[in-house]
Amino acid sequence: MPSVLARRYDDEQPCVAHWDAGYWTSVRRATPSELRAVSVAVEGLPYLAPGLVDLQINGYQGRTFTDPTRRLTVDDVWEMTRALAADGITSYCPTLTTHARATLLHGVAVIASAFADSDAHRSCFAGIHLEGPYISAEDGPRGAHPAEHCRAPDWGEFEVLQEAARGTIRIVTLSPEYPGACGFIERLVERGVLVAIGHTGAACEQIADAVSAGARLSTHLGNGAHARIRRHPNYIWEQLADDRLTASLIVDGHHLPPSVVRSFVRSKTAERCVLVSDITSLGGMPPGRYETGLGAVEVLDDGRLVVAGQREFLAGAARPMLDAIRNVMRFAGVGRAEAIDMASTRPARLVGAAVPRLEPGAPADFVLFDPRAFDADAGTDPPRVAATYRRGLPVYQANAS
Ligand SMILES: [Zn+2]
C-alpha cells in the first residue's frame, strides 16, 4: 500500500499516511524508528497538506473556458487541468463568465464531457461556476464582463445551460438587483446550486432578500464593484455583516489592499472566507496589451491585469492560489493551517465536492510543500510545491524533469 512520510500542515507533527485506491486508509504519527529510517530531521520533511480547491478558474496559460470563437476543446480542458497541478490544484471549478448564450452553451458542454469520461477526470472537477451572465451591466460592478451580454435572470436559459452541462453547474454568481432575482435564487437552491452574490450594484435590501432566498457566497467580495460608492450603507458592508454568507477573496496583492483583506478576514472570520485565484488565460504572460475575444486587456508591469485603456478596473487575475495562501498569511495574520484550509477543505465543503481532509476515508488529494515553504523568512514568494497527488497518483513533481 503506498504511503508518505511528511510533516502535517496543521500541527507540524511527522506523520505516516497510507492510501489505497485513491483514498486514505490511515494517517498517524510517525514512529521514532520510521523517522530514523529516512535519516531526515523533522524540519527537513515536506509539509503534507490537503489538495487545493479553487472555485474560480477562468483559464490558464493562453487557454480560456469562455471562448466566443467556440474553439474550446476537451483537450484544452485536460491541458489546463494538468498544468494546474503544478500549483497544487487537485480539483476546481472551471468558470464561465458573461457572454452570449451560444458561447456559454459550447463551454459548459465541452467542460462537462471533458470530465465525464473517466473517474480520474471526474475527480478534478468541483462543478462549473457560471459567473454571470445575470450580473449588473453597470461600469464598475460588471468589471471586465461585456456590458452587452449582462442580462436579467432567465430561468429558461439557465435550464438549457444546465442540461447542456449535464447538471454540473454548481455555482451561479449573480446580481440580485433585477426584478425576479429572489425567485430565481430559490429555484437554483432547490436544484442544489450554490448561489453567489457578485458583480452587483444591488441595494442593501436586495442583498438581504437574496440571502433570505438562499444565497450563501459573496463572489470576490470587494471587487466587481463601483469605484466610488456611498460610504454606508452599501452592498459591501451588507454582505460583510451577514454571517450566512461566506466570502471568496482574491488575495493576489492587487485586487484588495492588505488592510481590506485583514478587515474582511477579521469581520467574516477565517471560517467564512475562502480563497480563489480568479486566474485567467493571461496568467503568467508578459506585460502588454492582449485581445482576448472578451475585449482588450493589459498586463501591467507590476503584474496587474486591467481592462485596456485605464488603470482602475481590473480584468481578472494572473497569479495562482499559492500566492493567495502566502498573502493572506502576511496581510491578515492568518496561520499556515488556516490559510491552507481557506484554499482547500473549506471551498470543497462549500461547493459540495469531495473534501480532501487528511483522514481515513477522505480522498488522497494532497500537496507536498517544500520543507522551507512556510519559514518565517520565506518572504513574499508563494510556497513551493514539491509534488501534487490526485486520488493517490502523482500529477506533478517538481524534480521530475
Ligand atoms: Zn468576477
Side-chain angles (χ1 to χ4, degrees):
M1 200 178 291
S3 67
V4 59
L5 172 62
R7 240 185 321 172
R8 283 187 70 109
Y9 77 111
D10 43 10
D11 62 10
E12 297 225 324
Q13 294 300 321
C15 72
V16 174
H18 289 87
W19 68 90
D20 185 33
Y23 291 82
W24 296 117
T25 53
S26 79
V27 184
R28 59 166 175 76
R29 276 289 285 274
T31 64
S33 64
E34 284 168 332
L35 284 171
R36 274 195 302 274
V38 294
S39 59
V40 176
V42 171
E43 301 72 41
L45 292 172
Y47 281 99
L48 171 62
L52 306 184
V53 180
D54 197 331
L55 302 184
Q56 204 164 346
I57 291 186
N58 304 288
Y60 201 51
Q61 294 184 344
R63 295 177 165 89
T64 181
F65 292 113
T66 310
D67 178 9
T69 65
R70 283 176 249 154
R71 279 189 287 230
L72 179 75
T73 65
V74 163
D75 281 339
D76 289 327
V77 179
W78 292 339
E79 275 305 313
M80 285 189 260
T81 306
R82 250 193 295 277
L84 288 163
D87 298 330
I89 302 291
T90 51
S91 67
Y92 71 101
C93 293
T95 300
L96 286 161
T97 51
T98 300
H99 214 273
R101 184 183 299 195
T103 300
L104 300 179
L105 271 173
H106 176 77
V108 296
V110 170
I111 293 165
S113 66
F115 290 114
D117 77 328
S118 72
D119 284 346
H121 287 138
R122 250 188 300 277
S123 68
C124 318
F125 186 34
I128 292 171
H129 181 165
L130 195 61
E131 192 194 15
Y134 314 124
I135 59 161
S136 176
E138 278 183 71
D139 287 350
R142 70 179 174 84
H145 293 234
E148 69 270 30
H149 294 303
C150 297
R151 47 196 185 264
D154 176 342
W155 183 254
E157 179 179 58
F158 175 76
E159 282 196 310
V160 170
L161 289 168
Q162 185 64 300
E163 194 184 334
R166 308 183 200 187
T168 63
I169 298 172
R170 296 278 273 279
I171 308 178
V172 172
T173 293
L174 53 75
S175 170
E177 68 196 64
Y178 293 101
C182 284
F184 188 77
I185 292 169
E186 284 167 0
R187 292 170 96 167
L188 287 173
V189 171
E190 274 168 26
R191 304 286 175 92
V193 175
L194 174 64
V195 176
I197 298 170
H199 290 279
T200 186
C204 290
E205 302 72 44
Q206 292 170 320
I207 299 283
D209 289 348
V211 181
S212 296
R216 287 295 174 266
L217 177 65
S218 297
T219 284
H220 51 52
L221 187 64
N223 296 112
H226 295 92
R228 283 162 201 81
I229 52 176
R230 184 177 174 180
R231 68 194 188 291
H232 50 70
N234 64 48
Y235 46 73
I236 295 177
W237 289 116
E238 193 68 30
Q239 294 179 75
L240 199 54
D242 198 319
D243 289 347
R244 292 170 294 179
L245 289 170
T246 292
S248 76
L249 305 176
I250 306 170
V251 193
D252 62 354
H254 301 303
H255 277 72
L256 297 170
S259 62
V260 173
V261 174
R262 189 159 59 245
S263 301
F264 281 5
V265 173
R266 284 182 181 174
S267 169
K268 276 285 167 198
T269 76
E271 285 279 320
R272 282 190 290 270
C273 291
V274 297
L275 303 176
V276 290
S277 69
D278 200 14
I279 201 161
T280 67
S281 61
L282 293 170
M285 302 296 263
R289 187 186 164 102
Y290 296 88
E291 294 297 330
T292 65
L294 300 175
V297 298
E298 272 180 85
V299 178
L300 304 181
D301 289 337
D302 65 2
R304 275 193 305 155
L305 178 60
V306 297
V307 178
Q310 52 84 59
R311 294 291 178 267
E312 199 163 41
F313 296 119
L314 297 168
R319 298 299 308 164
M321 182 80 104
L322 297 164
D323 287 59
I325 292 173
R326 168 72 73 219
N327 287 334
V328 83
M329 292 171 71
R330 291 168 54 223
F331 296 169
V334 167
R336 174 191 57 246
E338 194 84 74
I340 291 174
D341 284 340
M342 289 164 84
S344 59
T345 51
R346 270 179 214 151
R349 204 169 284 125
L350 189 66
V351 77
V355 182
R357 299 179 315 273
L358 302 183
E359 289 173 15
D365 292 354
F366 62 94
V367 181
L368 293 173
F369 284 105
D370 190 84
R372 305 207 51 207
F374 299 99
D375 284 5
D377 60 359
T380 58
D381 290 342
R384 221 175 75 81
V385 173
T388 305
Y389 284 68
R390 199 179 275 135
R391 299 297 146 99
L393 298 173
V395 287
Y396 171 74
Q397 283 181 303
N399 299 321
S401 54

